[in-house]
Amino acid sequence: MTATAPRATEPGWLAALRREGAARFEALRFPTTRDEDWRFTDLAPVAKANLGAARAAGPLTEADLTPYLFGHAEWPRLVFANGRFQAELSRLTGLPAAARVEPLADLLADAPELVEETLGQLAVQPASAALVAQNAAGFTDGYAIVLPAGAVVDTPIHVLFVSDANAVLGTTLPRNVVVLGANAVASVVESYLSLADGVALTNTVTEASLGEGARFDHCKVQREGAEAFHLATFDARQERDSYLNSFSFAEGAAISRTNIYTTLAGPGAHATLYGLYLGEGRQQVDHQTRIEHAAPDCTSWEVYKGILDGHSHGVFNGKVYVHPEAQKTDGKQTNKNLLLSETAKVDTKPQLEIFADDVKCTHGATVGSLDAVPLFYLRSRGIPEDEARTLLTYAFAADVLEEIRSRPVVDHLEDLMRAWLAKAGRRGRAAAGRESA
Amino acid sequence: MLDIKNLTATAGGTEILRGITLTVNAGEVHAIMGPNGSGKSTLAQVLAGHPSYEVTGGSVTYKGQDLLDMEPEARAQAGVFLAFQYPVEIPGVTNAYFLRAAYNAKRTAQGLEELDPMDFLDLLEEKLKLVEWGPEIMSRAVNAGFSGGEKKRNEILQMAVLEPSLAILDETDSGLDIDALKIVANGVNALRRPDSATLLVTHYQRLLNHIVPDRVHVLAGGRIVRSGGKELALELEERGYEWLTDAAGAVA
Ligand SMILES: Nc1ncnc2c1ncn2[C@@H]1O[C@H](COP(=O)(O)OP(=O)(O)OP(=O)(O)O)[C@@H](O)[C@H]1O
Ligand SMILES: [Mg+2]
């Protein structure tokens, strides 16, 4: 069981948050497929594994991280191993003097009032209640970004959450808070990585408060191990004219569920939600997004793409909820899936719930395999079939990566996708070989 | 170069080609004409190896090889090129990437080193001149949003890059304005070599004014019902196909 982990230095409100979380999680436990929001993803294996808290990580060096680093050497970096901050591997230089970018535990010890109105206040969607409760009860650490009005941190802050062998058969509960003052700008890449194989649970929660005119780029890169369970909730609240650009890349874990939620609370707020998920073997990869249009004149744009191979199962459930006061809402939501095998499957459910009358909202979803016509066209130009398939598969998804603002991040994810496709190509050839043998 | 004997083919269970026999020698241009739905594109696609057509009989020998036994990509690597009647849009793949991949696939098949992007750009610059295009087109996705005429011109650009031995042009002249027609015709003529051959599927004599054929064949109902010299095309322009298709119907 995940025990509460209060610290002596924590303020009363936080202790209360932890107590409530523990009680709530005790009552709710992990959701089951009887819950409409969890219909397609069965967490029974997670519940059954009954994992306690992860042990502290063993010694880590820069070399352990090298394969997962990208971008520029001067990017600020925070590293957490099994949920604990690794000061010697982190680098917090080059930030504006007024910016606070640091481990959440440090900030809570020093100036908890800076996040009091955000931590535990934004991640309130019922679908994520059990996950958020478990996290609140036991979270150890995570990143905190608090920027005063007008502060601009233009380079992405790379946050790495790594799990080593000591996390196997354990639970890691990262907790992150972002508070952006008016017109502040920040960009974060959250990477989730496993340095060792084995069953382990990560249940992470990120809350982001975007002040008027603020901009936040959030990119989540989930590459956990083949036996890992990955649960994640991101929930933002956006004031007037703020802009959230969210990207979720998922290729790891046995079972993963990523919730990306935002509330457009002030007029003129704008959210773009993008995602790319890749599944193979028996992977279960689930995304749920929810955009609450709670104010007039807000826009949201969403594109999620999935490529599923083997016996993998992709799930996309996106809801755009337009409150009665959210007139002149402009929302568009798209989910496209490409199946590379006959045994892969996708459940996709884009949903609109509209309670205002003057809105423009569309949604659509597709599930299909590679189109034979372009495939023949490429082959007729001499491009071998596997290469043509890889090229078309890449082309299917690559455009969504371009929506990430930081070029080095785009390049990195392109590399990951190419590596994944090369693996898929090898699997395909191996399978074809077995058939013809 | 190309020896087609008694070729029959079906699509979705329907017989479309009903015994085509045709020999094209190196250095020659053959025009294939015929009414809509007579099987011209089917013949072209079968030669390129389109998987939705099933060859039910006959043989095709290309440079001494059994063409029908080769995968589409192997045919292309061996020098067969089909300019599609309806070129395909491939969003997300740039023209530059596509052309280089095709070019390098051919080089790899020939046991040559791949050309790196910079060297390939130099080569492209030459080829672009042939179709009177600037380099902007290279960063656009293959045929995506191209006009009908631009798509046809892009087929000729691909042909110029791949330098085929056997070029099959399926109505590459349809939908072109007069200037574009000249550009395409000049491109095809410039790419002709004594050791290459061209199969031109067309409805119009006007293309044949620019690319003069050695032989003209009329396809009707999946068969070649008439073959002749370039004057046959002029006769067709005058008289239409009815006199031939009636005759063919009478024979059948
Ligand atoms: N894949 C297919 N499945 C079923 N029928 C097909 C298929 N491809 C072609 N056909 C049919 O075969 C016949 C010949 O078609 P084809 O495209 O070869 O004609 P064409 O001579 O090129 O005509 P056009 O001058 O209009 O281009 C037509 O009746 C067409 O509908
Ligand atoms: Mg045709």
Side-chain angles (χ1 to χ4, degrees):
Chain A
M1 288 301 96
T2 311
T4 26
R7 294 161 188 233
T9 52
E10 279 180 358
W13 60 265
L14 184 52
L17 191 75
R18 290 195 184 278
R19 273 196 310 276
E20 284 158 26
R24 197 129 191 241
F25 185 65
E26 195 56 44
L28 292 171
R29 311 312 303 169
F30 287 106
T32 69
T33 51
R34 288 189 302 278
D35 182 338
E36 184 59 29
D37 285 304
W38 292 85
R39 230 175 90 200
F40 301 110
T41 295
D42 189 359
L43 292 187
V46 181
K48 217 174 116 213
N50 198 17
L51 305 169
R55 290 177 293 139
L60 276 179
T61 64
E62 182 87 14
D64 296 316
L65 300 180
T66 308
Y68 309 104
L69 297 175
F70 53 88
H72 300 295
E74 70 272 19
W75 283 5
R77 188 210 296 166
L78 289 96
V79 178
F80 298 87
N82 302 359
R84 288 130 177 120
F85 185 58
Q86 309 291 307
E88 59 295 347
L89 296 173
S90 302
R91 190 179 42 227
L92 293 167
T93 49
L95 294 157
R100 297 203 61 155
V101 178
E102 60 197 78
L104 177 64
D106 289 5
L107 186 117
L108 287 171
D110 180 37
E113 67 283 359
L114 292 177
V115 295
E116 187 173 352
E117 282 169 26
T118 307
L119 180 59
Q121 304 304 308
L122 302 191
V124 294
Q125 291 290 353
S128 64
L131 309 190
V132 172
Q134 186 197 29
N135 181 286
F139 74 78
T140 44
D141 208 346
Y143 66 87
I145 297 176
V146 179
L147 299 189
V152 173
V153 180
D154 224 6
T155 50
I157 299 164
H158 193 186
V159 187
L160 293 94
F161 293 98
V162 302
S163 305
D164 76 351
N166 287 350
V168 171
L169 296 180
T171 301
T172 302
L173 302 168
R175 184 71 174 229
N176 310 308
V177 184
V178 178
V179 181
L180 302 184
N183 301 313
V185 175
S187 169
V188 167
V189 180
E190 271 177 38
S191 294
Y192 293 87
L193 310 157
S194 304
L195 301 179
D197 289 330
V199 173
L201 168 63
T202 299
N203 175 14
T204 175
V205 176
T206 301
E207 288 166 300
S209 166
L210 281 65
E212 285 191 15
R215 168 168 181 145
F216 186 41
D217 283 84
H218 181 255
C219 177
K220 179 171 176 280
V221 180
Q222 191 273 103
R223 302 179 62 194
E224 293 200 338
E227 292 176 82
F229 304 129
H230 181 88
L231 306 174
T233 302
F234 173 92
D235 209 327
R237 181 182 165 85
Q238 299 183 238
E239 299 305 336
R240 177 188 291 267
D241 296 330
S242 62
Y243 175 32
L244 168 70
N245 185 37
S246 155
F247 195 98
S248 175
F249 176 87
E251 67 161 342
I255 298 175
S256 72
R257 161 71 172 246
T258 302
N259 299 317
I260 304 282
Y261 305 141
T262 189
T263 298
L264 303 168
H270 177 45
T272 48
L273 272 53
Y274 299 100
L276 174 61
Y277 45 94
L278 310 173
E280 48 137 334
R282 301 209 165 261
Q283 278 182 298
Q284 168 83 21
V285 48
D286 183 347
H287 277 90
Q288 182 175 75
T289 68
R290 188 173 170 108
I291 302 170
E292 300 265 354
H293 278 267
D297 301 312
C298 293
T299 51
S300 63
W301 175 268
E302 178 170 13
V303 182
Y304 267 75
K305 291 196 175 182
I307 305 175
L308 289 314
D309 197 5
H311 288 77
S312 66
H313 181 195
V315 180
F316 175 80
N317 176 208
K319 188 174 277 183
V320 176
Y321 190 100
V322 182
H323 293 243
E325 57 273 42
Q327 300 295 359
K328 306 278 184 207
T329 287
D330 188 349
K332 182 166 165 113
Q333 188 189 40
T334 313
N335 174 232
K336 290 186 176 168
N337 298 280
L338 180 61
L339 303 181
L340 298 186
S341 72
E342 282 171 14
T343 43
K345 69 171 181 171
V346 167
D347 286 290
T348 172
K349 209 171 94 180
Q351 281 174 288
L352 290 173
E353 274 186 54
I354 302 176
F355 298 97
D357 43 34
D358 184 13
V359 303
K360 204 168 83 193
C361 286
T362 60
H363 65 153
T366 60
V367 180
S369 50
L370 271 188
D371 193 350
V373 176
L375 187 62
F376 175 63
Y377 191 64
L378 293 176
R379 295 179 72 193
S380 80
R381 297 303 182 246
I383 299 172
E385 183 171 359
D386 326 340
E387 196 184 327
R389 282 183 185 281
T390 302
L391 185 55
L392 291 173
T393 307
Y394 184 83
F396 164 81
D399 61 339
V400 76
L401 294 175
E402 297 293 327
E403 305 295 346
I404 299 168
R405 192 165 61 140
S406 164
R407 191 69 229 176
V409 179
V410 177
D411 291 343
H412 178 66
L413 294 185
E414 282 177 354
D415 287 345
L416 293 183
M417 192 164 91
R418 270 192 286 270
W420 189 89
L421 287 172
K423 250 187 338 180
R426 284 195 292 277
R427 283 194 302 274
R429 278 194 295 282
R434 278 196 300 280
E435 261 163 45
S436 62
Chain B
M1 165 83 53
L2 180 71
D3 211 358
I4 306 175
K5 284 211 179 82
N6 238 327
L7 181 66
T8 56
T10 61
T14 323
E15 184 161 56
I16 302 172
L17 300 185
R18 301 167 175 227
I20 305 251
T21 297
L22 176 67
T23 300
V24 182
N25 297 311
E28 291 180 348
V29 174
H30 288 225
I32 297 188
M33 306 185 79
N36 293 134
S38 57
K40 303 181 298 295
S41 292
T42 302
L43 174 62
Q45 298 273 349
V46 164
L47 293 177
H50 197 294
S52 24
Y53 299 97
E54 196 195 340
V55 173
T56 48
S59 66
V60 180
T61 312
Y62 165 74
K63 288 186 172 175
Q65 286 177 278
D66 178 359
L67 189 71
L68 300 177
D69 199 35
M70 296 162 75
E71 294 292 334
E73 51 268 43
R75 299 181 196 199
Q77 290 159 8
V80 176
F81 179 87
L82 168 63
F84 283 54
Q85 181 174 1
Y86 304 108
V88 179
E89 299 195 7
I90 309 187
V93 179
T94 63
N95 235 0
Y97 188 93
F98 169 60
L99 282 169
R100 192 164 65 88
Y103 184 78
N104 280 333
K106 186 169 179 178
R107 285 184 64 97
T108 305
Q110 290 169 340
L112 297 171
E113 289 241 326
E114 294 196 350
L115 224 55
D116 66 45
M118 291 324 275
D119 290 338
F120 184 69
L121 274 182
D122 293 343
L123 177 129
L124 257 184
E125 214 171 305
E126 287 306 302
K127 307 296 181 182
L128 280 165
K129 280 187 201 145
L130 204 67
V131 291
E132 299 182 19
W133 252 348
E136 318 78 57
I137 202 79
M138 301 318 300
S139 53
R140 287 178 62 183
V142 181
N143 293 330
F146 283 29
S147 75
E150 285 171 341
K151 286 181 183 172
K152 297 299 177 79
R153 213 193 280 200
N154 206 20
E155 295 289 284
I156 300 303
L157 175 63
Q158 293 168 32
M159 177 178 157
V161 168
L162 295 174
E163 298 185 328
S165 306
L166 175 65
I168 306 163
L169 307 182
D170 190 358
E171 292 198 32
T172 304
D173 54 331
S174 296
L176 293 183
D177 66 40
I178 300 155
D179 292 339
L181 181 74
K182 277 197 195 123
I183 291 169
V184 163
N186 290 342
V188 172
N189 283 329
L191 293 166
R192 283 178 66 180
R193 300 185 315 256
D195 62 344
S196 73
T198 309
L199 212 53
L200 280 182
V201 176
T202 183
H203 286 294
Y204 306 107
Q205 165 60 32
R206 61 172 193 169
L207 178 69
L208 305 180
N209 290 334
H210 297 282
I211 310 171
V212 181
D214 297 288
R215 299 286 291 162
V216 175
H217 311 275
V218 178
L219 203 63
R223 286 192 186 90
I224 293 179
V225 295
R226 184 76 143 214
S227 296
K230 58 176 188 280
E231 62 292 342
L232 176 58
L234 292 167
E235 193 175 358
L236 291 169
E237 185 99 323
E238 199 122 304
R239 297 177 66 188
Y241 292 118
E242 222 167 280
W243 58 287
L244 283 171
T245 47
D246 284 356
V251 169

